[in-house]
Amino acid sequence: EIGKWEFGDRTQAMFDWYHLHVKKINMLAAGTGIVPFLKIIDAIHGNRSMDHTKMSLLFANKTVNDVLLSKKLNTIAAKNENFAVRYVVGQPETDKNVRASHVDENVEIYKIGRIDEALIAEFCYKSDPDCITFVCGPKSFNDAMWKHLKN
């Protein structure tokens, strides 16, 4: 049980691997929720000569300086026509000259505010048997996204 783990405890975990046969993947990420998606993006991008899965990423953060991996994501988007990323921040940028060094200078904020139903409908692939949507972020973000997706 996770709640009873102590620092340094060893455990074994068993995971089921699923082979998804979809043509489109939507990813809704907030903050560090980008990390699990990077494995998906890297795998598909690394095999792009044979894997033509289309990927759509909406990436939410509080500020532009909170955006992780923007250099890598923008590089992949520039090289792979099947991958698109849009950055959403809760607070407007006050001065581009004070961007953190890890933030790509070419990060373009797509929306100031939050990811909502309208943005999902505008940017993400429509729900169908050839499409899957993944959500990863803080609990409040995940709850809000699943609520939007149900509507």
Side-chain angles (χ1 to χ4, degrees), residues 21-36:
H21 300 284
V22 295
K23 295 178 182 174
K24 297 168 277 192
I25 299 174
N26 293 316
M27 293 169 274
L28 307 175
T32 57
I34 188 62
V35 175

Side-chain angles (χ1 to χ4, degrees), residues 25 27 39-55 80 82:
I25 299 174
M27 293 169 274
K39 196 74 167 164
I40 296 169
I41 295 164
D42 275 343
I44 294 171
H45 176 66
N47 192 31
R48 67 188 174 278
S49 64
M50 295 181 65
D51 189 338
H52 303 288
T53 304
K54 294 179 186 255
M55 300 174 285
N80 190 335
N82 290 325

Side-chain angles (χ1 to χ4, degrees), residues 64-111:
V64 70
N65 282 333
D66 296 324
V67 177
L68 301 172
L69 302 165
S70 59
K71 291 177 183 177
K72 181 172 183 111
L73 294 169
N74 287 347
T75 299
I76 293 171
K79 293 179 179 179
N80 190 335
E81 66 184 22
N82 290 325
F83 174 65
V85 58
R86 296 291 183 270
Y87 300 98
V88 178
V89 295
Q91 300 170 12
E93 189 171 16
T94 55
D95 185 356
K96 274 193 172 184
N97 295 324
V98 294
R99 282 193 176 179
S101 62
H102 70 272
V103 177
D104 187 344
E105 64 188 35
N106 296 317
V107 167
E108 290 185 32
I109 303 308
Y110 190 71
K111 178 184 177 185

